[in-house]
């Protein structure tokens, strides 16, 4: 047992808890590169938050997984040391390694729903951590669980302790995860994208909590993220990774304000600008889309022993969108913004209200009549992996729309090639299958598919949320360019105000199925009228922090 | 990697495929090697295997050539397995697809109908059907198909239910594709792999069902099948073991081969799963 190291930590605040030296981790044969991480060295000190930043595939989580012994099958370290409190965990036998986990190292994951056992009460799950390490009596465990829940700031902790995970919100579940990770007072806390799945306001609260707990307990925190905004909020030191190598490492302030490496510069520049959106001239011509008093209620069928539940997803929504305008619909999860988008493209049938597209009421059309009008409004979907049929060639996927509307196959395929050229993929992509493309490229295919029918209006539902920042910037640029060139109208649905600020002329803020505020992007950012809008703006990570090169 | 290369990675599947091919060759060669009817009495009864030239597997209670029966039986077994499975797919796939895609009342109605078939034990229903229709190849094929389509319908329905809300299906709806195009072009191709795997196992089950029916004396009296051979030999199993042993081994090998092939198809059609092996 490393008791000596533990007691020796008291006197020095900058004592190194985790020291990674020349670590290389090999990927299984046939992967896109030989090494997941190559020659990576960094320290995590007591009392600091070390942020490891990188885009997907950068190997940012690999070191953390090595520390925890959570490397996937076939992935194994081939060189270097990972010293935790003076012990090299790579060579540690599994039994001793297991003793470290939970006891000395705590971990928080990205998805709080899947990281918690859905059939176990929250209190029991926290108590299980003590049980696994043979600590305390069952009664004491429950008491500690309650203390921990109070410490992580769960509302009504006495109730929460006997709740099941599904009864809690995403943010509350993440707090439970943090409570579990902290249960045994670990020396090191590893947080792997802990706020990525959360809403902005919740994210701000969780970041605040992690910072606060870290200060109070003097832990070392290894914080893995893809978001430089989050880095600006929490980091003491930053390590930027790309393709498995460290690109830049240093004090957070230095890296953010004065990045040395071009890649870091590009990443920071690619953060959707924190600056006020530029003033845009909106020519208010005849409205293209008029939404009048749109309502949609979701009802879950009640069973014998439970009553039916009603959720008002859209509550009396009215708005107009001018031709050639980009309107942002911004809201947190459950705000009804996606339902609005799905009603506009008529994937959802609104309960009441009117959807006038150029004077034609789409909301009441059915069957074949609806099918014939569908080409006028198209959609770009969120998940570039789910939105393309894995067994359909890309060209065919794009050509299917025009073919369904009567264009001959050869002409439709030719047009598909031109569209792929237009979105920057090249006409040769026609013959390939979706799995041969990366996420950003697939999103371009999705855009080409939406354009194939020459729609008047495109609804983009979280179209860039699943993409890395640098890719996000490229796709936004493409959308902007296409919009100008083809004079499209765009309904841009997003949870991210930063993204909305970049592309939208006007912004509508939604909460609980209602419109809270609407106005020009400039107005919303500079002079928000409603408290909710203000709180959304305040919650944007890195907004107050100094960030260099906001282009 | 090509489809076959992925299939061949599974050693068992390759062995299964080879066995299956041998059985098919047996079925094809049967009329050439034994041009006479397998029902003809050609030698004295109870001739043990290898005891006389030309009667490799001996003769049965009536002096019929066991080897001839075995080879002609292969043709019957395979035919019944393949045809009845095809018929079952023809019933089950459309029903499941419609129920899963449209949902609601259509789904309720079709699933109650399916459950009606599922509540009756398979084999009992098959016996009743064959008994009513008079034993013949056609009636046996029909009976087997009628008792084996419900699992297909259930599987296809479940697949359709999970796939119909995929974004690519919604995208297809948005571009104005008709429901039938979406069902046939978007969803069905993505349900093929579980269907193919299930079908390969259903062929095996059908062969077993036919054998069981013939064992009970409900086989087509005009065709020699493995099940009939075992059934006829059961009274003399202690005097003439070979009469039930060889057809038994034939059934075992065929079913085993089909199962192995099914597993190999499953691997090959799910490239993601097989890569993790």
């Amino acid at each position: 047992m490393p008791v000596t190291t533990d007691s020796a930590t008291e006197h020095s605040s900058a004592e190194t808890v985790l020291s990674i030296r020349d670590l290389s981790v090999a990927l299984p044969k046939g992967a896109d590169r030989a090494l997941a991480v190559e020659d990576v060295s960094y320290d995590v000190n007591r009392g600091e938050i070390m942020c490891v930043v990188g885009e997907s595939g950068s190997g940012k989580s690999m070191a953390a997984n090595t520390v925890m012994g959570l490397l996937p099958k076939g992935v194994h370290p081939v060189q270097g040391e990972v010293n935790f409190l003076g012990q090299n965990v790579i060579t540690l036998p599994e039994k001793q390694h297991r003793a470290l986990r939970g006891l000395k190292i705590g971990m928080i994951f990205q998805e709080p729903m899947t990281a918690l056992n859905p059939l176990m009460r929250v209190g029991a799950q926290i108590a299980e951590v003590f049980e696994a390490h043979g600590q305390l009596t069952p009664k004491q465990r429950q008491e500690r669980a309650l203390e921990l829940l109070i410490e992580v700031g769960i509302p009504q902790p006495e109730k929460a302790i006997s709740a099941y995970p599904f009864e809690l919100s995403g943010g509350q579940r993440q707090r439970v995860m943090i409570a579990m990770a902290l249960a045994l007072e670990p020396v090191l806390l590893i947080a792997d994208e802990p706020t990525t799945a959360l809403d902005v306001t919740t994210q701000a609260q969780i970041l605040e909590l992690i910072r606060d707990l870290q200060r109070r307990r003097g832990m070392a925190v290894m914080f893995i993220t893809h978001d430089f905004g989050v880095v600006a909020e929490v980091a003491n030191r930053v390590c930027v990774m790309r393709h498995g190598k460290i690109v830049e490492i240093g004090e957070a302030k230095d890296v953010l304000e004065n990045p040395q490496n071009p890649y870091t510069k590009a990443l920071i520049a690619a953060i959707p600008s924190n600056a006020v959106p530029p003033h845009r001239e909106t020519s208010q011509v005849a409205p293209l889309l008029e939404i009048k008093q749109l309502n949609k209620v979701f009802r879950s069928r009640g069973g014998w022993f439970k009553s039916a539940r009603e959720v008002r997803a859209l509550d009396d929504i009215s708005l107009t969108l001018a031709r050639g305008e980009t309107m942002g619909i911004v809201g947190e999860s459950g705000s009804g913004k996606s339902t609005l988008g799905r009603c506009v493209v008529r994937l959802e049938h609104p309960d009441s209200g009117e959807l006038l597209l150029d004077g034609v009421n789409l909301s009441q059309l059915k069957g074949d009549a609806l099918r014939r009008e569908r080409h006028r409004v198209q959609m770009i979907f969120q998940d570039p992996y789910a939105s393309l049929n894995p067994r359909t060639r890309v060209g065919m996927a794009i050509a299917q729309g025009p073919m369904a509307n009567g264009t001959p196959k050869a002409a439709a395929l030719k047009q598909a090639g031109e569209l792929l050229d237009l979105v920057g993929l090249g006409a040769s992509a026609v013959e390939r299958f979706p799995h041969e493309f990366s996420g950003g490229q697939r999103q371009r295919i999705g855009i080409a598919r939406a354009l194939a029918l020459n729609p008047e209006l495109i609804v983009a539902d979280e179209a860039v949320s699943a993409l890395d920042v640098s890719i996000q910037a490229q796709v936004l640029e493409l959308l902007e360019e296409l919009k100008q060139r083809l004079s499209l109208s765009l309904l841009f649905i997003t949870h991210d105000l930063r993204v909305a600020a970049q592309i939208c002329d006007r912004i509508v803020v939604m909460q609980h199925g209602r419109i809270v505020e609407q106005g020009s992007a400039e107005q919303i950012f500079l002079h928000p009228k409603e408290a909710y809008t203000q709180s959304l703006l305040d919650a944007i990570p890195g907004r107050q922090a100094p960030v260099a090169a906001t282009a | 990697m090509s489809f076959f290369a992925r299939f061949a990675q599974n050693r068992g599947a390759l062995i299964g495929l080879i066995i299956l091919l041998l059985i098919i060759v047996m079925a094809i060669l049967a009329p050439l090697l034994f041009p006479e009817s397998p029902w003809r009495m050609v030698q004295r009864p109870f001739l043990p295997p290898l005891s006389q030239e030309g009667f490799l597997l001996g003769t049965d209670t009536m002096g019929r050539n066991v080897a001839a029966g075995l080879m002609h039986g292969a043709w019957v077994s395979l035919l019944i397995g393949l045809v009845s499975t095809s018929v079952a797919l023809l019933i089950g796939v459309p029903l499941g697809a419609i129920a899963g895609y449209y949902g609601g009342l259509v789904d309720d109605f079709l699933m109650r109908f399916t459950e009606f078939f599922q509540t009756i034990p398979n084999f009992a229903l098959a016996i009743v059907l064959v008994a009513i229709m008079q034993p013949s190849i056609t009636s046996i094929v029909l009976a087997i198909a009628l008792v084996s389509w419900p699992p297909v319908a259930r599987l296809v329905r479940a697949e359709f239910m999970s796939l119909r809300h995929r974004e690519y299906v919604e995208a297809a709806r948005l571009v104005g594709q008709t429901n039938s195009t979406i069902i046939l072009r978007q969803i069905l191709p993505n349900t093929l792999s579980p269907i193919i795997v299930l079908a390969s196992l259903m062929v095996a089950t059908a062969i077993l069902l036919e054998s069981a029916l013939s064992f009970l004396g409900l086989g087509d009296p005009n065709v020699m099948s493995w099940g009939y051979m075992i059934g006829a030999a059961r009274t003399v199993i202690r005097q003439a073991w070979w009469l039930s042993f060889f057809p038994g081994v034939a059934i075992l090998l065929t079913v085993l081969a089909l199962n192995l092939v099914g597993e190999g198809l499953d691997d090959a059609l799910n490239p993601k799963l097989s890569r993790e092996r």
Side-chain angles (χ1 to χ4, degrees):
Chain A
M1 289 302 276
V3 185
T4 45
T5 1
D6 212 29
S7 54
T9 55
E10 305 296 318
H11 54 84
S12 147
S13 65
E15 195 241 345
T16 304
V17 171
L18 178 72
S19 158
I20 299 168
R21 287 284 163 269
D22 307 322
L23 179 71
S24 291
V25 175
L27 286 170
K29 253 184 269 168
D32 57 344
R33 60 175 191 254
L35 296 172
V37 294
E38 197 177 341
D39 278 332
V40 165
S41 304
Y42 56 82
D43 294 340
V44 184
N45 299 327
R46 182 166 289 242
E48 73 166 5
I49 298 184
M50 171 72 164
C51 269
V52 185
V53 203
E55 300 189 279
S56 47
S58 63
K60 60 183 185 293
S61 299
M62 279 299 166
N65 288 341
T66 315
V67 177
M68 289 301 270
L70 289 177
L71 286 176
K73 222 173 158 186
V75 180
H76 54 93
V78 285
Q79 178 206 316
E81 291 179 11
V82 176
N83 287 310
F84 176 70
L85 296 175
Q87 277 178 304
N88 185 0
V89 295
I90 295 177
T91 53
L92 215 55
E94 173 57 25
K95 205 173 162 194
Q96 288 177 36
H97 201 166
R98 197 187 319 139
L100 276 184
R101 292 199 283 262
L103 195 59
K104 296 280 175 199
I105 315 173
M107 190 158 184
I108 323 170
F109 300 92
Q110 174 173 350
E111 198 47 75
M113 190 69 222
T114 48
L116 290 170
N117 184 340
L119 289 178
M120 224 172 148
R121 291 177 199 276
V122 163
Q125 295 200 41
I126 300 177
E128 203 181 36
V129 180
F130 296 107
E131 202 183 329
H133 292 273
Q135 295 189 358
L136 308 179
T137 63
K139 192 155 170 283
Q140 286 172 319
R141 286 175 194 153
Q142 284 298 319
E143 284 164 9
R144 274 296 288 149
L146 187 62
E147 284 169 30
L148 283 161
L149 287 176
I150 295 170
E151 190 177 359
V152 296
I154 282 203
Q156 295 178 297
E158 294 85 1
K159 262 191 173 166
I161 197 166
S162 53
Y164 286 102
F166 66 83
E167 296 174 290
L168 305 175
S169 71
Q172 288 169 349
R173 288 197 286 260
Q174 200 56 290
R175 283 173 196 269
V176 172
M177 277 303 299
I178 295 174
M180 284 172 72
L182 294 180
L184 298 166
E185 316 209 339
V187 186
L188 173 68
L189 178 70
I190 297 176
D192 193 350
E193 301 262 15
T195 58
T196 308
L198 304 176
D199 282 329
V200 254
T201 47
T202 322
Q203 162 167 299
Q205 290 161 10
I206 296 288
L207 290 179
E208 176 65 40
L209 174 70
I210 292 176
R211 231 177 353 191
D212 186 46
L213 289 168
Q214 179 268 331
R215 240 179 264 138
R216 239 188 296 159
R217 297 192 167 201
M219 286 181 300
V221 177
M222 183 169 170
F223 196 105
I224 300 160
T225 180
H226 67 280
D227 189 341
F228 258 101
V230 171
V231 174
E233 288 285 309
V234 298
N236 298 108
R237 286 197 304 134
V238 185
C239 165
V240 185
M241 293 193 63
R242 185 192 196 189
H243 301 325
K245 294 194 187 111
I246 293 182
V247 173
E248 189 160 357
I249 185 164
E251 294 295 318
K253 210 161 165 261
D254 298 343
V255 174
L256 287 170
E257 283 177 32
N258 191 15
Q260 298 302 314
N261 187 284
Y263 177 68
T264 318
K265 279 183 193 161
L267 267 191
I268 293 177
I271 306 176
S273 164
N274 295 339
V276 181
H279 180 75
R280 291 165 194 257
E281 279 306 323
T282 45
S283 48
Q284 282 291 351
V285 282
L288 171 70
L289 176 74
E290 271 183 280
I291 298 176
K292 290 181 184 164
Q293 279 122 38
L294 206 64
N295 282 291
K296 174 83 192 169
V297 178
F298 286 111
R299 290 179 185 85
S300 67
R301 244 197 306 187
W304 284 5
F305 300 107
K306 60 173 189 198
S307 53
R309 260 178 34 138
E310 276 196 4
V311 179
R312 295 196 74 86
L314 295 180
D315 196 353
D316 214 17
I317 299 285
S318 298
L319 52 86
T320 52
L321 176 70
R323 215 174 269 282
E325 190 183 33
T326 302
M327 177 181 274
I329 311 277
V330 181
E332 298 189 287
S333 49
S335 64
K337 59 183 191 302
S338 285
T339 310
L340 178 61
R342 291 172 63 84
C343 280
V344 171
V345 297
R346 284 302 313 277
L347 279 173
E348 234 30 282
H349 186 81
D351 294 339
S352 67
E354 287 179 28
L355 270 173
L356 297 171
L357 186 74
D358 228 358
V360 180
N361 189 355
L362 292 181
S363 66
Q364 294 314 319
L365 291 179
K366 273 189 188 139
D368 259 1
L370 174 63
R371 202 167 62 73
R372 276 194 297 274
E373 292 292 327
R374 277 199 187 279
H375 68 94
R376 302 176 62 189
V377 188
Q378 288 296 302
M379 189 165 193
I380 303 168
F381 291 87
Q382 171 173 9
D383 185 350
Y385 293 90
S387 64
L388 292 168
N389 190 335
R391 290 182 196 249
T392 308
R393 284 177 206 277
V394 167
M396 200 55 201
I398 297 170
Q400 270 167 349
M403 280 163 63
N405 288 279
T407 312
K409 187 175 171 182
L413 277 174
K414 189 165 162 282
Q415 190 207 355
E418 290 162 12
L419 281 166
L420 284 169
D421 228 12
L422 183 71
V423 297
L425 284 179
S428 58
V430 170
E431 285 298 314
R432 291 159 72 190
F433 282 99
H435 68 82
E436 298 171 49
F437 295 92
S438 69
Q441 288 172 325
R442 288 182 192 212
Q443 207 54 311
R444 284 168 191 268
I445 298 169
I447 293 172
R449 176 176 58 191
L451 290 175
L453 290 167
N454 293 319
E456 294 156 64
L457 173 66
I458 291 188
V459 177
D461 188 1
E462 300 275 11
V464 297
S465 306
L467 306 174
D468 280 329
V469 254
S470 55
I471 311 289
Q472 211 171 48
Q474 289 165 14
V475 172
L476 285 176
E477 226 163 82
L478 172 71
L479 273 178
E480 183 70 40
E481 186 197 319
L482 289 173
K483 208 194 88 182
Q484 301 290 347
R485 190 155 10 144
L486 307 172
S487 65
L488 290 168
S489 307
L490 205 58
L491 201 59
F492 196 87
I493 298 165
T494 180
H495 69 279
D496 194 337
L497 266 170
R498 294 176 295 181
V499 172
Q502 259 193 337
I503 190 168
C504 299
D505 306 320
R506 283 203 299 141
I507 291 180
V508 172
V509 180
M510 284 185 70
Q511 187 191 19
H512 304 320
R514 266 185 232 115
I515 293 181
V516 175
E517 185 170 359
Q518 55 176 315
S520 74
E522 209 182 353
Q523 218 174 341
I524 295 280
F525 262 71
L526 284 183
H527 315 289
K529 290 198 195 77
E530 300 293 325
Y532 179 67
T533 316
Q534 185 63 51
S535 71
L536 278 183
L537 287 170
D538 289 342
I540 296 178
R543 190 165 154 84
Q544 272 82 31
V547 170
T550 43
Chain B
M1 217 183 335
S2 77
F3 175 78
F4 186 75
R6 267 186 277 138
F7 179 82
Q9 262 190 336
N10 184 334
R11 192 79 53 80
L14 211 54
I15 296 171
L17 188 66
I18 292 166
I19 298 176
L20 207 58
L21 286 175
L22 284 177
I23 293 165
I24 292 170
V25 168
M26 254 172 76
I28 294 170
L29 290 185
L32 300 175
L33 290 177
F34 301 97
E36 289 186 333
S37 163
W39 295 94
R40 253 192 69 152
M41 292 165 232
V42 285
Q43 250 290 348
R44 71 181 171 81
F46 294 110
L47 204 59
L50 296 172
S51 60
Q52 195 157 349
E53 186 90 7
F55 297 92
L56 193 66
L57 304 180
T59 58
D60 70 1
T61 46
M62 316 269 265
R64 296 175 292 216
N65 190 343
V66 174
L70 208 59
M71 289 187 76
H72 282 274
W75 180 77
V76 175
S77 289
L78 284 180
L79 178 87
I80 284 177
L82 290 174
V83 176
S84 62
T85 300
S86 313
V87 176
L89 288 179
L90 281 179
I91 306 171
V93 172
L95 273 185
I98 289 167
Y101 183 76
Y102 290 101
L105 277 179
V106 181
D107 180 37
D108 277 347
F109 175 75
L110 290 176
M111 281 304 109
R112 290 307 85 76
F113 181 68
T114 311
E115 275 161 15
F116 171 73
F117 278 84
Q118 285 193 300
T119 45
I120 309 168
N122 272 358
F123 192 55
L125 182 59
I127 292 175
V128 172
L129 286 170
V130 173
I132 294 171
M133 293 189 281
Q134 300 300 324
S136 74
I137 287 248
T138 327
S139 68
I140 291 170
V141 164
L142 267 180
I144 294 175
L146 279 177
V147 300
S148 46
W149 67 265
V152 184
R154 289 245 164 226
L155 174 84
V156 175
R157 170 177 174 264
E159 290 286 325
F160 266 69
M161 282 172 82
S162 83
L163 288 176
R164 73 171 166 175
H165 290 301
R166 289 289 165 89
E167 287 187 344
Y168 63 83
V169 177
E170 296 193 327
R173 266 172 70 196
L174 273 189
V175 299
Q177 289 196 342
T178 54
N179 285 331
S180 52
T181 318
I182 294 176
I183 290 176
L184 292 174
R185 300 282 294 276
Q186 303 287 352
I187 310 185
L188 199 58
N190 286 298
T191 59
L192 276 187
S193 44
I195 296 179
I196 288 174
V197 174
L198 180 69
S200 70
L201 300 179
M202 279 169 62
V203 176
T205 325
I207 291 175
L208 286 178
L209 262 175
E210 189 276 334
S211 306
L213 285 170
S214 303
F215 178 85
L216 292 179
L218 286 167
D220 188 328
N222 301 314
V223 293
M224 179 65 77
S225 86
W226 294 339
Y228 166 79
M229 291 168 77
I230 298 177
R234 74 181 187 277
T235 47
V236 293
I237 193 156
R238 293 174 67 181
Q239 299 98 302
W241 57 270
W242 62 94
L243 293 187
S244 39
F245 176 77
F246 292 113
V249 168
I251 292 174
L252 175 82
L253 282 179
T254 314
V255 173
L256 181 71
L258 282 164
N259 278 301
L260 288 173
V261 169
E263 207 172 281
L265 282 175
D266 194 19
D267 281 357
L269 291 168
N270 290 311
K272 248 184 149 174
L273 273 179
S274 55
R275 229 180 290 138
E276 278 164 19
R277 271 168 173 266

